[in-house]
């Protein structure tokens, strides 16, 4: 679901949704993140990160992969990922091949994909919901970029396209 939102500090509807979801489903069932120009696939799905205890890079799960693993382990529970300012990040670069698997008819274990870096089998469980917000007042984003992201997301996930 994609929503346009007014500029900060008017985040009341999303704050209320976050708190209500957390109170009903539990604190571990909702994750808020904010996309920004340097946010990447490595942050969202999986990637190599330095280990603070040693000088070795280790493959680590990203935010979305961790959420999907929890959802797959608990199919009776619903999970929510709130992506604030989705239009500030490069959606295709961040989500990679998984952008297609967010669609309702491509979810579940029957539509699993092999991840590029780990070689693990991965799927988006049906009990995962993604809410994206777009800040239309951000002057660092051109109108053409806002239209591109909005059109890309609406054409994939909006029931109103």
């Amino acid at each position: 679901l994609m929503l346009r939102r007014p500029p900060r500090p008017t985040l009341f509807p999303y704050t209320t949704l976050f708190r209500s979801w957390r109170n009903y489903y539990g604190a571990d069932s909702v994750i808020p993140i904010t996309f920004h120009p340097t946010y990447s696939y490595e942050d969202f799905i999986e990637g190599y990160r330095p280990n603070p205890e040693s000088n070795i890079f280790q493959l680590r799960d990203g935010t979305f992969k961790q959420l999907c693993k929890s959802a797959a382990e608990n199919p009776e529970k619903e999970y929510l990922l709130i992506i604030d300012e989705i239009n500030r990040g490069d959606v295709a670069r961040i989500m990679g091949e998984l952008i297609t698997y967010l669609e309702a008819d491509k979810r579940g274990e029957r539509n699993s994909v092999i991840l590029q870096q780990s070689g693990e089998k991965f799927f988006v469980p049906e009990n995962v919901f993604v809410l994206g917000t777009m800040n239309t007042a951000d002057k660092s984003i051109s109108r053409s970029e806002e239209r591109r992201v909005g059109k890309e997301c609406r054409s994939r996930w909006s029931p109103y396209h």
Side-chain angles (χ1 to χ4, degrees):
L1 177 63
M2 289 294 300
L3 299 175
R4 288 181 169 218
R5 72 163 177 77
R8 294 184 199 276
T10 319
L11 286 174
F12 178 73
Y14 309 107
T15 304
T16 303
L17 173 67
F18 173 77
R19 287 184 184 147
S20 297
W21 188 286
R22 185 181 59 196
N23 291 340
Y24 188 79
Y25 292 106
D28 63 334
S29 69
V30 59
I31 297 176
I33 60 171
T34 302
F35 278 7
H36 50 79
T38 61
Y39 203 81
S40 67
Y41 182 90
E42 288 78 12
D43 300 312
F44 195 65
I45 306 296
E46 66 179 6
Y48 286 93
R49 295 286 178 206
N51 182 341
E53 299 165 5
S54 66
N55 292 331
I56 299 172
F57 280 79
Q58 292 180 321
L59 186 61
R60 295 202 181 155
D61 293 343
T63 307
F64 188 63
K65 186 176 175 185
Q66 291 172 10
L67 182 78
C68 287
K69 280 184 173 182
S70 295
E73 292 170 2
N74 302 299
E76 71 288 342
K77 187 175 178 181
E78 295 182 340
Y79 289 80
L80 174 65
L81 177 67
I82 301 174
I83 305 173
D84 191 27
E85 299 189 10
I86 196 168
N87 55 322
R88 293 197 66 217
D90 183 347
V91 176
R93 184 175 60 88
I94 293 169
M95 294 185 181
E97 73 277 15
L98 297 177
I99 195 167
T100 302
Y101 296 95
L102 289 176
E103 297 175 21
D105 63 335
K106 295 184 178 66
R107 289 177 172 228
E109 199 166 358
R110 69 188 179 286
N111 292 310
S112 62
V113 62
I114 303 298
L115 295 176
Q116 297 173 8
Q117 295 180 7
S118 66
E120 290 180 18
K121 193 174 181 181
F122 179 79
F123 64 94
V124 179
E126 295 177 17
N127 57 333
V128 171
F129 298 90
V130 179
L131 172 69
T133 67
M134 293 176 63
N135 181 354
T136 58
D138 190 343
K139 301 301 180 202
S140 68
I141 302 167
S142 70
R143 296 306 263 171
S144 62
E145 180 67 10
E146 180 185 320
R147 284 192 296 273
R148 182 193 66 77
V149 171
K151 183 178 178 185
E152 181 179 322
C153 292
R154 277 192 306 274
S155 67
R156 289 192 171 274
W157 305 309
S158 174
Y160 306 110
H161 61 85

